[in-house]
């Protein structure tokens, strides 16, 4: 069958889903409520279902009062039972797969359950929806004439007591429908290579021979891959390698600090960027409009959403609210109940609603990855945008950065200390520091108040990292590839001091 016909058929099939999406856009609260009671019904005979008497829960109020909000550590005993072979513990169908996630704040590995329902009705459904929405917005797309260059994790699956664990990407590849493998590059064999530095040239060798029309992966690691592709081929930009490339689907870290660099790699005005928000625990939101920085919260993926306002987070008055009670432009900690049996699970991310009709969000950071030592409530969203604006003003480029507090002493005030790896350094570092500080003050009024007349916080302290510092740190900590990254912000100095020691 000719490729243009395949492209047309695939587009037609995917766009049929648009009508279902319109349903939850029109009735968001009803869809979420029905989903919650469906999850409770399905799990009522599990160990957890009997413990909390799921069968008698008839409204959200009872649900929120009876079942506690939980961290991974609190759910771990139930997860371990299932990993050791027990079933029907927190979900009524067999859990065969566990996405291994070491996280960044805890060296101890997490094993996130991934049910068959989550694979089909969450992760794979989201992948199809992303394509459906993109095609709906771009009628002349030739996406399926070529292949998608995917960049996933770097570990294969390992067996334990008839269960399997590994990177989420490895689980997805292991269960991937045949049509998805045919439309992707590199091959599954290369995608699942465990050694990043061997895998990188193998991906390039396979992919430069293909007609790549789209790319998918984490911006920081994709940037490493694409720069290697240019070095290998001697080309000036990626359109000389893949002239039909039309879109990059990205997630995992903020795109703001990388956007200008990608524009140079794909120097075509019509080239598009689509963002996604997913994790080992589930797929939550995706960009549904061209040229947007907002993500549509997907309400029919087997996930019930709740939110903790960050101004009450960790306090006695902490409260949890359903989707129907959220407000615009407030930061919330995200709580999820999923079709893999995670009940009122605190994922650790923070989000901000940019729209409530429909519900669109921006990911603003992590509950543990912000700086609030001095009451400044600095979020990753603030620093990413400030870095991007500063680089645009001063014509420089940043590869990576991290920030930590300089704590107050009897003799000195506090400050924020940065270490930044530049691809293109600013001509005047002092001007860069002043401009970045100004951008942060414009974006965050709490930070501005603490910086007023150096009352609480002194000016920024900027360290320039040597070339490849962040890459070498990740390599030394066995975190190359996948979605691993150095935390951007921290309330303590562990990451910063570790990087400075390698500087």
């Amino acid at each position: 069958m000719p490729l243009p016909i395949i492209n047309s058929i695939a587009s037609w099939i995917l766009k049929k889903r648009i009508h279902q999406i319109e349903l939850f856009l029109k009735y968001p609260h009803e869809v979420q409520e029905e989903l919650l009671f469906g999850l409770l019904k399905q799990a009522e005979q599990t160990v957890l279902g009997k413990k909390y008497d799921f069968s008698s829960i008839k409204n959200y109020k009872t649900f929120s009062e009876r079942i506690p909000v939980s961290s991974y550590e609190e759910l771990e005993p139930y997860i371990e039972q299932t990993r050791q072979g027990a079933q029907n513990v927190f979900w009524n169908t067999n859990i065969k797969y566990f996405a291994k996630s070491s996280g960044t704040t805890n060296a101890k590995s997490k094993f996130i359950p991934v049910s068959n329902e989550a694979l089909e009705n969450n992760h794979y459904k989201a992948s199809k929806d992303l394509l459906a929405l993109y095609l709906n917005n771009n009628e002349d797309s030739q996406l399926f004439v070529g292949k998608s260059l995917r960049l996933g994790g770097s570990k294969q699956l390992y067996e334990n007591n008839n269960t399997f664990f590994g990177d989420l990407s490895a689980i997805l590849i292991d269960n991937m429908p045949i049509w998805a493998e045919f439309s992707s590059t590199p091959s599954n064999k290369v995608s699942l290579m465990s050694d990043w530095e061997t895998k990188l040239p193998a991906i390039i060798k396979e992919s430069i021979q293909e007609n790549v029309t789209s790319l998918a992966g984490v911006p920081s690691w994709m940037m490493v891959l694409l720069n290697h592709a240019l070095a290998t081929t001697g080309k000036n930009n990626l359109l000389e390698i893949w002239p039909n490339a039309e879109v990059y689907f990205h997630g995992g870290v903020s795109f703001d600090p990388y956007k200008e660099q990608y524009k140079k790699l794909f120097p075509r005005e019509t080239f598009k960027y689509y963002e996604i928000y997913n994790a080992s625990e589930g797929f939550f939101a995706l960009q549904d409009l061209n040229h947007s920085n907002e993500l549509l919260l997907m309400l029919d993926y087997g996930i019930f959403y709740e939110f903790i306002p960050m101004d009450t987070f960790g306090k006695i008055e902490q409260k949890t609210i359903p989707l129907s009670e959220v407000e615009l432009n407030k930061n919330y900690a995200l709580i999820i109940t999923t079709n893999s049996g995670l009940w009122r699970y605190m994922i650790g991310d923070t989000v901000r609603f940019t729209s409530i009709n429909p519900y669109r969000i921006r990911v603003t950071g992590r509950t543990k990855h912000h700086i609030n030592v001095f009451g400044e409530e600095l979020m990753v969203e603030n620093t990413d945008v400030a870095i991007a604006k500063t680089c645009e003003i001063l014509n420089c480029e940043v590869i990576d950065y991290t920030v930590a507090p300089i704590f107050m002493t009897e003799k000195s005030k506090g400050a924020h200390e940065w270490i930044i790896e530049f691809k293109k350094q600013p001509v005047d570092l002092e001007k860069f520091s002043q401009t970045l500080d100004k951008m942060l003050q414009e974006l965050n009024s709490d930070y501005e108040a603490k910086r007023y007349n150096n009352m609480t916080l002194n000016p920024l302290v900027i360290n320039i990292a040597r070339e490849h510092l962040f890459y070498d740190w990740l390599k030394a900590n066995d975190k190359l590839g996948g979605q691993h990254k150095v935390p951007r912000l921290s309330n303590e100095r562990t990451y910063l001091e570790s990087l400075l020691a390698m500087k």
Side-chain angles (χ1 to χ4, degrees):
M1 188 181 294
L3 287 174
I5 296 176
I6 294 174
N7 188 77
S8 298
I9 293 172
S11 299
W12 177 76
I13 292 171
L14 286 167
K15 282 196 269 187
K16 290 177 70 176
R17 162 69 174 150
I18 297 297
H19 299 296
Q20 295 173 308
I21 293 173
E22 289 170 348
L23 181 67
F24 77 67
L25 293 179
K26 189 174 182 180
Y27 303 106
H29 307 143
E30 292 85 349
V31 168
Q32 276 281 280
E33 184 177 88
E34 182 180 351
L35 190 154
L36 171 62
F37 292 115
L39 294 174
L40 289 166
K41 178 68 176 175
Q42 191 159 348
E44 64 183 21
Q45 295 303 314
T46 64
V47 172
L48 273 183
K50 292 176 180 177
K51 177 179 178 179
Y52 294 114
D53 194 12
F54 283 4
S55 61
S56 70
I57 297 177
K58 304 301 180 185
N59 53 56
Y60 171 73
K61 185 173 184 293
T62 305
F63 170 76
S64 63
E65 290 174 348
R66 186 177 299 174
I67 304 170
V69 171
S70 300
S71 64
Y72 178 82
E73 288 71 24
E74 289 160 323
L75 292 178
E76 183 182 28
Y78 300 104
I79 292 172
E80 273 304 302
Q81 285 182 45
T82 303
R83 286 193 65 227
Q84 297 307 317
Q87 293 293 345
N88 208 43
V89 178
F90 45 80
W91 191 241
N92 72 317
T93 62
N94 285 0
I95 303 290
K96 180 180 178 182
Y97 295 100
F98 293 83
K100 185 179 179 183
S101 171
S102 62
T104 47
T105 58
N106 190 337
K108 187 176 182 180
S109 293
K110 297 179 180 179
F111 293 90
I112 306 300
V114 181
S115 67
N116 289 331
E117 291 89 342
L119 284 172
E120 293 299 327
N121 299 321
N122 184 266
H123 294 288
Y124 293 138
K125 185 176 183 179
S127 298
K128 289 182 281 189
D129 281 356
L130 181 62
L131 296 175
L133 288 163
Y134 175 77
L135 293 168
N136 192 57
N137 293 334
N138 302 280
E139 295 286 345
D140 59 348
S141 170
Q142 296 297 303
L143 206 63
F144 293 103
V145 169
K147 293 189 175 184
S148 175
L149 171 55
R150 62 187 181 191
L151 182 60
S154 305
K155 290 185 175 62
Q156 298 186 36
L157 293 176
Y158 302 92
E159 187 174 358
N160 179 41
N161 292 314
N162 293 317
T163 63
F164 299 85
F165 66 90
D167 285 359
L168 175 65
S169 57
I171 294 172
L172 296 178
I173 289 170
D174 192 58
N175 291 275
M176 188 178 288
I178 293 174
W179 65 264
E181 183 176 356
F182 285 148
S183 63
S184 301
T185 185
S187 62
N188 285 0
K189 180 180 177 181
V190 170
S191 291
L192 292 172
M193 281 184 173
S194 58
D195 181 73
W196 168 257
E197 292 179 324
T198 304
K199 177 179 178 175
L200 194 63
I203 293 175
I204 293 168
K205 183 179 180 181
E206 283 195 5
S207 299
I208 60 176
Q209 309 299 324
E210 300 286 357
N211 175 26
V212 171
T213 53
S214 67
L215 303 93
V218 177
S220 52
W221 290 110
M222 183 64 80
M223 180 72 70
V224 174
L225 172 68
L226 297 181
N227 282 327
H228 272 74
L230 287 181
T232 300
T233 59
K235 302 295 186 182
N236 294 312
N237 65 68
L238 293 163
L239 295 177
E240 293 180 6
I241 305 174
W242 301 303
N244 297 316
E246 60 179 81
V247 60
Y248 170 36
F249 300 110
H250 60 87
V253 298
S254 170
F255 193 54
D256 288 330
Y258 303 101
K259 193 168 187 177
E260 293 305 314
Q261 296 176 56
Y262 273 92
K263 285 183 178 179
K264 293 177 181 177
L265 292 173
F266 296 98
R268 181 186 289 151
E269 286 295 321
T270 56
F271 191 87
K272 294 178 178 63
Y273 302 91
Y274 264 59
E275 186 171 350
I276 63 172
Y277 172 31
N278 68 331
S280 298
E281 292 86 352
F283 205 121
F284 311 122
L286 49 84
Q287 183 178 325
D288 66 315
L289 300 170
N290 286 338
H291 313 298
S292 173
N293 65 352
E294 300 178 355
L295 305 179
L296 182 67
L297 191 64
M298 304 304 283
L299 304 180
D300 64 348
Y301 281 3
I303 297 177
F304 180 75
Y305 298 101
E306 297 176 87
F307 307 88
I308 299 175
M310 284 302 290
D311 55 9
T312 71
F313 185 82
K315 300 176 182 177
I316 296 175
E317 64 270 25
Q318 175 175 303
K319 62 178 180 178
T320 306
I321 60 174
L323 183 65
S324 59
E325 295 180 23
V326 300
E327 300 175 29
L328 286 175
N329 299 316
K330 288 186 67 173
N331 274 313
Y332 295 98
L334 180 62
I335 309 299
I336 57 172
T337 292
T338 78
N339 55 3
S340 283
L342 295 176
W343 296 94
R344 307 197 79 204
Y345 179 80
M346 189 183 303
I347 190 172
D349 288 342
T350 58
V351 300
R352 172 175 57 85
F353 282 87
T354 57
S355 166
I356 54 175
N357 185 25
Y359 286 102
R360 291 196 177 98
I361 61 170
R362 292 293 298 156
V363 181
T364 55
R366 299 279 293 170
T367 54
K368 294 182 179 179
H369 296 167
H370 64 286
I371 300 181
N372 194 31
V373 173
F374 312 103
E376 66 273 53
E377 279 291 355
L378 195 68
M379 308 294 291
V380 173
E381 182 186 40
N382 303 146
T383 54
D384 279 342
V385 172
I387 277 280
K389 288 185 174 182
T390 303
C391 286
E392 185 178 356
I393 292 168
L394 299 179
N395 190 28
C396 52
E397 296 177 4
V398 166
I399 293 174
D400 216 335
Y401 72 89
T402 193
V403 192
I406 297 174
F407 295 103
M408 291 180 177
T409 68
E410 292 181 5
K411 297 181 179 179
S412 64
K413 298 171 185 175
H416 288 174
E417 184 171 8
W418 293 60
I419 183 165
I420 305 174
E421 183 178 342
F422 290 97
K423 182 177 182 181
K424 180 180 179 183
Q425 288 193 23
V427 175
D428 185 337
L429 186 61
E430 181 59 31
K431 188 173 183 181
F432 177 90
S433 178
Q434 292 171 356
T435 306
L436 179 58
D437 188 43
K438 181 184 176 185
M439 293 296 111
L440 290 168
Q441 292 186 51
E442 290 180 1
L443 291 164
N444 187 312
S445 58
D446 290 321
Y447 176 81
E448 181 184 32
K450 301 303 181 291
R451 281 286 295 120
Y452 181 72
N453 286 338
N454 299 338
M455 188 175 296
T456 303
L457 289 174
N458 279 327
L460 302 177
V461 175
I462 307 286
N463 299 282
I464 297 181
R466 64 168 172 80
E467 189 177 13
H468 304 312
L469 175 64
F470 283 79
Y471 183 95
D472 290 345
W473 187 93
L474 289 164
K475 183 178 180 179
N477 288 275
D478 194 27
K479 291 180 179 290
L480 285 183
Q483 294 199 1
H484 295 303
K485 51 192 174 287
V486 179
R488 292 273 164 88
L489 304 182
S490 178
N491 269 329
E492 41 90 27
R493 292 180 59 84
T494 304
Y495 301 110
L496 183 76
E497 296 287 359
S498 180
L499 285 158
L500 287 173
M502 297 175 65
K503 179 185 169 188

